[in-house]
């Protein structure tokens, strides 16, 4: 498949709503974001959930509402975050799978995260991986550092292929504490992936454009969104996630790898066809 998979990560757990009113936090805002981002070229949405006060939550009731809102407004592949916010407990991170998303993130190791630690113990990685396979949920392996690629391979060697049979990793580059958002790091990580695997990449903050261009140049896919990027250009704030998706789709077209449709995204990732009635996915 020669096109580009575009994932939108519209919310995250770190940005404060009061600072960024355009950050989608309610189910209604998330639904509207899903629709406009699908129209702009996204195939997948990476969902972090907020409560009524726009604070990050892993409470299953809010997670179910968020998944339902995205499904009602779009056909996007719904990928819930199991990373949540730094410090979320393993039990609630695992429990979000009960909201029956198509896919979920699985971070492949612990990493410094600003002044804190984003903890991902090996036994927890294994537990998450098995739980996803039991529920026919496709994992996306989150790679914050080069060693995480090797940890992902260790997981695949120990546990076998994921649900859907395809391995897709997401390089999250430029978190203070993780790998820097450079083309050299992107190439190093991509080269370590197992044969047949695909990857997306995102650069935090001003790493966004260099990482996007490097990913397109190396056959990679793209993740964009207000979880990662709040400044569109020097002095220009991102007001709306679809701005970022439109730019990613435009770069993808220039690179002659236009944005994949939702159906193509589902096929690429091996998403189960029963998730969305009438979906053409495999
Ligand atoms: N918010 C970060 C601590 C994920 O979504 O799986 C974790 C994160 C990764 O964003
Ligand atoms: Zn996330």
């Amino acid at each position: 498949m020669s096109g580009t998979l575009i994932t939108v990560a519209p919310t995250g757990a770190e940005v404060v709503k009061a600072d960024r009113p355009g950050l989608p936090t309610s189910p209604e805002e998330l639904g509207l974001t899903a629709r406009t981002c699908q129209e702009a070229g996204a195939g997948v949405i990476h969902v972090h959930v907020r409560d009524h006060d726009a604070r990050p939550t892993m409470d299953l009731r809010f997670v179910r509402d968020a998944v339902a809102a995205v499904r009602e407004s779009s056909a996007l592949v719904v990928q819930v975050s199991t990373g949540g916010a730094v410090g979320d407990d393993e039990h609630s991170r695992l429990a979000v799978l009960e909201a029956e998303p198509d896919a979920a993130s699985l971070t492949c190791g612990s990493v410094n995260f600003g002044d804190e630690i984003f903890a991902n113990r090996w036994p927890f990685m294994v537990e998450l991986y098995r739980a996803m396979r039991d529920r026919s949920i496709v994992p996306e392996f989150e790679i914050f550092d080069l060693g995480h690629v090797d940890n992902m391979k260790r997981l695949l060697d120990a546990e076998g292929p994921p649900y859907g049979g395809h391995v897709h990793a997401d390089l999250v580059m430029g978190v203070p504490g993780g790998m820097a958002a450079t083309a050299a790091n992107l190439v190093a990580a991509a080269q370590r992936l197992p044969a047949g695997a695909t990857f997306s990449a995102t650069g935090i903050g001003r790493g966004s454009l260099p990482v996007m261009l490097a990913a397109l140049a190396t056959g990679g896919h793209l993740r964009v969104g207000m979880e990662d990027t709040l400044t569109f250009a020097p002095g220009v704030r991102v007001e709306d996630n679809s701005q970022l998706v439109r730019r990613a789709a435009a770069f993808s077209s220039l690179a002659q790898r236009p944005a994949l449709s939702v159906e193509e995204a589902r096929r690429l990732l091996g998403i189960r066809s029963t998730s969305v009635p009438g979906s053409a996915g495999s």
Side-chain angles (χ1 to χ4, degrees), residues 10-281:
T11 310
E14 287 77 32
V15 180
V16 176
K17 173 81 166 176
D19 296 341
R20 295 293 177 149
L23 192 79
T25 54
S26 67
E28 294 72 27
E29 290 167 343
L30 208 53
L32 181 62
T33 296
R35 183 167 63 71
T36 55
C37 288
Q38 182 181 338
E39 286 165 1
V44 176
I45 185 165
H46 169 78
V47 177
H48 282 259
V49 180
R50 303 291 182 105
D51 66 14
H52 294 310
D53 297 317
R55 287 178 309 219
T57 182
M58 301 297 260
D59 184 316
L60 196 51
R61 287 166 304 173
F62 287 97
V63 182
R64 286 191 203 280
D65 286 349
V67 170
V70 173
R71 290 214 195 284
E72 277 162 24
S73 320
S74 77
L76 292 177
V77 172
V78 184
Q79 179 198 92
V80 294
S81 168
T82 67
V86 165
D88 279 334
D89 65 272
E90 292 179 354
H91 176 77
S92 47
R93 289 173 60 186
L94 196 65
V96 299
L97 301 182
E98 289 170 34
E100 300 182 351
D102 302 309
S105 57
L106 193 164
T107 297
C108 292
S110 300
V111 63
N112 281 356
F113 200 93
D115 294 343
E116 301 177 281
I117 296 174
F118 178 32
N120 293 283
R121 298 181 313 123
W122 170 256
F124 180 59
M125 286 175 55
V126 172
E127 199 180 356
L128 255 184
Y129 189 72
R130 290 178 179 168
M132 287 188 204
R133 197 163 45 198
D134 290 348
R135 290 168 171 76
S136 309
I137 293 169
V138 171
E140 177 181 88
F141 300 97
E142 305 300 321
I143 308 294
F144 287 77
D145 220 335
L146 291 179
H148 288 186
V149 182
D150 300 309
N151 226 15
M152 177 191 84
K153 289 196 283 193
R154 180 182 170 209
L155 186 63
L156 295 169
D157 287 345
E159 297 291 323
Y163 174 76
H166 180 70
V167 174
H168 182 78
D170 177 44
L171 312 180
V172 184
M173 312 184 70
V175 168
M179 62 182 158
T182 64
N185 279 344
L186 184 143
V187 170
Q191 283 177 339
R192 291 157 95 120
L193 293 173
T198 52
F199 73 96
S200 303
T202 181
I204 303 299
R206 67 183 58 148
S208 180
L209 286 176
V211 166
M212 187 183 299
L213 295 172
L216 285 172
T218 50
H221 301 275
L222 306 179
R223 172 173 124 172
V224 293
M226 293 176 79
E227 175 168 346
D228 305 331
T229 306
L230 294 168
T231 303
F232 194 76
V236 182
R237 287 158 68 116
V238 174
E239 303 293 344
D240 178 298
N241 279 282
S242 64
Q243 271 178 283
L244 293 168
V245 174
R246 251 191 310 282
R247 179 165 70 178
F251 273 122
S252 300
S253 291
L254 282 172
Q256 304 197 1
R257 292 185 46 213
L260 293 181
S261 68
V262 172
E263 289 72 25
E264 289 169 328
R266 286 179 177 272
R267 260 202 308 282
L268 172 72
L269 298 172
I271 302 295
R272 63 181 187 262
S273 58
T274 51
S275 305
V276 175
S279 158

